[in-house]
Amino acid sequence: MSFVKHASSPRAAQWEAAGLDWLRAAGGATVVEIVAIEQETLALQRLRSASPTPAAAEAFGRALAATHAAGASAYGVGPDGWDGDGFQGPADDMLPLPLRPYESWGAMYADLRLAPLLEPRVECRRSEAGEAYRDQRGDGVRVSRLAPLAELAEPVLRRLRDGEFDGSCPAPARLHGDLWSGNVMWTADGAVLIDPAAHGGHPESDLAALALFGAPQLERLLASYLEAAPLADGWRDRVPLMQLHLVLLHAVLFGGGYVDHARAILRRYA
């Protein structure tokens, strides 16, 4: 029996399928099987959930390191054979995921992952999250809560584009791209990846995403990953920076406390 998932469009379904196939081809972490794809409908292997054990977490850490090590042709590219931008966000409210090749991770992260979410035209998309507030100057102009983040982000984007963090990532990793804890299904046979936004990037991004909403057995998972693929010095200090993309995405989608979270991260690295 399969699990039927409806994407927002046929292209969005193709994007998800391409990411699943690309991650599976790495030969590392287990990836949910595609049973069939038709228009905007994906039929996927039905998974039975189970409690994650320490041994399963350790196995997943090693397997994820192998997935990352499979690499990508450049930073910022999508799965092999994919043309154009991808998609990010929930199936009912997807945003473009800009894709194009970069030689520098920092420039890619600034240009493709952060800056598009900070553009002036971007507003909180959910009505309850997108309530405007009066400008602090008192002139009655109503602006989005996201607007002040763009100016605050300028020094962070500059540091990234100047290559200050590039030494921590010597080669592009094959990323899941949206590896928050809900996109890891724990089964009796171990962890299974679902719902990717797969692209070439920094391996610390996937690990930071796992920490963002508290993946189970996280420290065991990280320890086994580090045994298989040590990270550059100072990786724990970079965790909030690596989380910034997903935090900004949540700020755009949901507003609320995510806007404040993004502001705190930007101030930390400004």
Side-chain angles (χ1 to χ4, degrees):
M1 183 178 294
S2 60
F3 169 77
V4 177
K5 178 178 180 180
H6 297 281
S8 59
S9 68
R11 184 161 171 81
Q14 293 163 7
W15 161 251
E16 181 171 341
L20 293 171
D21 287 342
W22 193 52
L23 294 172
R24 187 180 303 105
T30 302
V31 179
V32 68
E33 294 286 343
I34 301 169
V35 177
I37 178 171
E38 183 176 353
Q39 294 299 317
E40 70 276 7
T41 301
L42 276 169
L44 302 170
Q45 167 194 12
R46 183 172 290 276
L47 302 171
R48 289 176 175 262
S49 62
S51 297
T53 65
E58 291 170 4
F60 178 51
R62 292 188 293 271
L64 182 60
T67 296
H68 288 166
S73 61
Y75 299 105
V77 299
D80 293 342
W82 182 262
D83 184 40
D85 290 342
F87 296 89
Q88 59 184 333
D92 64 344
D93 195 10
M94 301 201 84
L95 293 171
L97 181 74
L99 298 171
R100 63 179 186 269
Y102 274 72
E103 294 183 0
S104 159
W105 171 76
M108 182 281 291
Y109 193 56
D111 292 352
L112 302 188
R113 299 293 167 262
L114 305 184
L117 296 173
L118 291 161
E119 291 179 2
R121 69 174 185 272
V122 173
E123 304 285 340
C124 292
R125 295 168 72 88
R126 303 294 169 93
S127 59
E128 67 272 18
E131 293 180 359
Y133 63 93
R134 291 196 177 276
D135 188 283
Q136 295 300 312
R137 296 171 300 181
D139 58 8
V141 176
R142 297 181 71 82
V143 297
S144 164
R145 289 193 67 205
L146 297 178
L149 297 182
E151 183 176 355
L152 188 60
E154 280 306 314
V156 182
L157 298 179
R158 185 166 54 250
R159 293 178 70 186
L160 287 162
R161 289 168 176 148
D162 287 346
E164 185 173 335
F165 302 96
D166 282 357
S168 65
C169 189
R174 186 169 303 199
L175 298 186
H176 177 283
D178 188 17
L179 199 58
W180 69 286
S181 57
N183 284 341
V184 181
M185 289 290 294
W186 296 94
T187 73
D189 295 322
V192 181
L193 298 179
I194 63 171
D195 293 349
H199 64 276
H202 200 310
E204 292 175 16
S205 297
D206 271 353
L207 299 175
L210 284 168
L212 184 57
F213 297 112
Q217 306 284 350
L218 181 61
E219 288 304 316
R220 284 182 178 269
L221 189 163
L222 290 173
S224 65
Y225 183 101
L226 292 169
E227 288 179 4
L231 300 173
D233 290 345
W235 68 270
R236 286 191 184 272
D237 293 332
R238 291 187 294 273
V239 168
L241 179 65
M242 301 298 164
Q243 292 174 336
L244 182 55
H245 168 228
L246 288 183
V247 173
L248 279 174
L249 178 61
H250 280 71
V252 169
L253 292 169
F254 307 113
Y258 294 114
V259 178
D260 296 330
H261 191 176
R263 182 183 295 111
I265 295 174
L266 290 169
R267 284 176 173 160
R268 174 171 179 163
Y269 296 97

